[in-house]
């Protein structure tokens, strides 16, 4: 994926050299819809189920809706991630099951230690530009993010749901009409966290597991127990009047203390293509 | 253009660092037999829910087994010490899954990693006794000779809605049944709420059938408050007024045993067959530094009167045990006795 990003960015740079630049390409307000594809790698340690460092990869697809006003910007992002994970120190290992067959023979089945991970996410962000328009702009705002981590496997490190409110800061640099760079930083101030309880089981009378998980294990967590940081670098290339290509790298880090510490870090590489809808 | 190139290069350079691994604060612990033993023993101390019920002093267990572990021992030797220690707990919900193919999955109810039931086969029931066999997921039903309805539950890994769908159909089909056999002789368990919901179709009034609590902290006395498990009457007039034989064996475990607790309190139900497995609690999986996985009972599950059957199982009112040779020959004597009982 890194090589792909490198190639795409190289291509964009090459193309941009020949592009005819127009100053009025991106006059706000404007609406954009974007499609995102990406890969990410993640590492996690969930002491609630295992002392081991787990590492994995996601493939992700996303849909983004963006509104940019004179001073404001609103972004809605829907993302689906599907991946797998394995203990870093025991990759390739299996556990074994022996079953007696009807003819009296024994069949042994090897089941890999790895597991699957499903991780849908939704983000709603708002930014307000600080100061007057310049090539270099600073915006401040907040993002409400919802992230479910649903591992499947023998052990289930990382099982959680987080709804977090994070103040964020954005630095935008319009290097040229067609080229823009952005850097974003966000840190959670408040989180509504769902994780399995201390004993690690979800069963409750009269309830299916999913319902019991959310209903009985959700609590507000403040900064002393939940730390959630995100940083993102973006390069945007205006391909034409209506289309923009975005290559981004996002680094996320989370640590949640209860009932046992969970640490999770993720590097995501995304390519997005936005389509612009002028209002007139 | 040059500035843009520099900035793009800078962005790429930063992204290619892929520095998420460096953000993990957890130190990598050394994987050796001593640390694995310490972790295994400590996790049981921190999470196991049945020390008091089984009257086991876990600290004493440590003093016996810790000296047997040393850094130079082989995986097989460590496996021997670990399984010997875990066997003390006599808990079929404790399973050790080594990652070494030479070492079999271990539990007190497995022999060389294999579970083998010889006193029952659902195929025998289907082939010799059952007519008009229907199935909805894990739940099967049909008719036995003498106008007796038969229900078999392969497992309770069911959602409540799945139970409702099957039981509504069963209630409609068994309106005219003279008696019912509910067969969970090979049911390894599943979700307790699924059994709770199913029992409601046989109940005329609401009642408590089980109390449970689970570990809430690292001290062996740290538990959640008790939770009462109620059976709430559901539909099914025919089912609640029809005599029923509940058949169990030693292979009736976990969620099938909590279901048995619910069914045994009903006036029209007779519990027959063999004693159940004796493993009621939920049992999540955890992991050692060597990658091995183990499950353990984190709860204390009892009947409505506060009696625990952990490690013992629930003894039936009528003991009807099949001879394995009969089963191999296609005969189910316990089922025949159940039919006879319902015809009387």
């Amino acid at each position: 994926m890194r090589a792909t990003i490198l190639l795409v960015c190289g291509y964009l740079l090459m193309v941009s050299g020949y592009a005819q630049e127009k100053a009025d390409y991106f006059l706000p307000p404007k609406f954009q819809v974007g499609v995102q594809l990406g890969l990410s790698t993640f590492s996690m340690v969930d002491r609630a189920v295992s002392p081991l460092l787990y590492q994995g990869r996601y493939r992700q697809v996303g849909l983004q809706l963006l509104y940019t006003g004179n001073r404001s910007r609103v972004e809605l992002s829907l993302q689906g991630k599907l991946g797998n994970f394995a203990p870093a120190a025991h990759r390739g290992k299996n556990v074994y099951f022996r079953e007696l067959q009807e003819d009296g023979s024994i069949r042994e089945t090897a089941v890999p230690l790895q597991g699957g991970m499903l991780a849908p996410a939704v983000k709603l962000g708002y930014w307000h530009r600080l100061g007057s328009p310049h090539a270099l702009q600073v915006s401040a705002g907040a993002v409400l993010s919802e992230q479910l981590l649903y591992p499947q496997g023998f052990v289930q490190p990382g099982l959680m749901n987080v709804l977090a409110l994070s103040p964020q800061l954005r630095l935008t640099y319009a290097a040229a009409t067609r080229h823009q760079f952005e850097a974003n930083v966000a840190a959670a101030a408040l989180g509504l966290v769902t994780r399995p309880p201390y004993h690690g089981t979800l069963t409750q009378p009269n309830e299916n597991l999913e319902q019991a998980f959310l209903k009985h294990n959700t609590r507000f967590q403040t900064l002393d127990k939940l730390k959630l940081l995100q940083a993102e670098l973006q390069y945007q290339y205006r391909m034409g009047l209506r289309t923009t290509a975005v290559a981004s790298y996002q680094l996320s880090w989370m640590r949640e203390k209860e009932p046992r510490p969970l640490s999770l870090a993720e590097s995501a590489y995304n390519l997005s293509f936005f389509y612009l809808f002028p209002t007139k | 253009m040059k500035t843009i190139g520099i900035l793009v290069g800078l962005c790429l350079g930063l992204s290619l660092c892929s520095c998420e691994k460096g953000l993990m604060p957890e130190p990598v612990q050394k994987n050796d037999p001593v640390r694995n033993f310490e972790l295994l023993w400590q996790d049981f101390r921190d999470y196991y829910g049945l020390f008091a019920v089984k009257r086991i002093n876990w600290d004493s267990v440590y003093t016996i087994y810790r000296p047997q572990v040393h850094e130079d021992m082989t995986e097989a030797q460590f496996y021997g010490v670990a399984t010997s220690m875990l066997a003390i707990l006599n808990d079929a919900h404790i399973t050790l899954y080594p990652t070494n193919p030479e070492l079999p999955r271990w539990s007190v109810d497995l022999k060389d990693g294999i579970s083998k039931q010889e006193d029952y086969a659902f195929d025998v029931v289907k082939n010799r006794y059952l007519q008009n066999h229907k199935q909805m997921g894990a739940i099967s039903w049909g008719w036995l000779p003498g106008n007796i309805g038969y229900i078999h539950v392969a497992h309770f890994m069911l959602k409540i809605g799945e139970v409702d769908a099957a039981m509504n159909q069963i209630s409609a089909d068994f309106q005219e049944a003279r008696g019912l056999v509910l067969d969970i002789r090979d049911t390894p368990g599943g979700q307790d709420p699924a059994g709770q919901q199913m029992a409601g179709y046989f109940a005329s009034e609401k009642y408590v059938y089980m109390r449970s609590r689970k570990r809430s902290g690292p001290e062996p006395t740290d538990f959640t408050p008790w939770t009462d498990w109620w059976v709430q009457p559901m539909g099914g007039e025919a089912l609640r007024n029809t005599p029923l034989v509940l058949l169990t064996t030693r292979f009736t475990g976990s969620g099938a045993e909590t279901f048995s607790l619910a069914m045994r309190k009903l006036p029209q139900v007779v519990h027959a067959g063999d004693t159940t497995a004796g493993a009621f609690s939920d049992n999540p999986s955890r992991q050692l530094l060597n990658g091995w996985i183990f499950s353990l009972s984190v709860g204390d599950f009892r009947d409505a009167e506060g009696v625990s059957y952990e490690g013992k199982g629930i003894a039936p009112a009528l003991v009807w045990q099949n001879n394995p040779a009969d089963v191999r020959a296609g005969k189910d004597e316990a089922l025949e006795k159940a039919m006879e009982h319902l015809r009387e």
Side-chain angles (χ1 to χ4, degrees), chain B residues 314-328:
Chain B
I314 312 167
L318 301 171
V319 179
W320 299 335
Q321 293 167 321
N322 278 339
N323 184 330
D326 286 346
V327 175
R328 283 194 294 275

Side-chain angles (χ1 to χ4, degrees), chain A residues 2 41-45 53-57 88 91 249 251-253 263-267 269, chain B residues 16-26 28:
Chain A
R2 291 180 205 176
T41 58
F42 63 93
S43 302
M44 66 176 162
V45 177
L53 171 69
Y54 273 81
Q55 291 179 327
R57 289 175 183 274
R91 281 188 195 282
Y249 169 71
L251 182 65
S252 309
W253 177 80
S263 300
L264 176 68
E266 181 182 345
S267 289
Y269 307 88
Chain B
L16 291 174
C17 290
S18 186
C19 48
E20 98 269 358
K21 292 167 202 165
L23 295 174
M24 302 307 292
E26 306 291 334
V28 176

Side-chain angles (χ1 to χ4, degrees), chain B residues 163-164 167-168 171 197-203 234-236 239-240:
Chain B
V163 173
D164 288 336
M167 293 308 296
N168 283 327
S171 301
Q197 186 76 0
M198 184 177 287
Y201 285 86
F202 301 93
M234 304 298 292
L239 300 182
R240 72 174 72 129

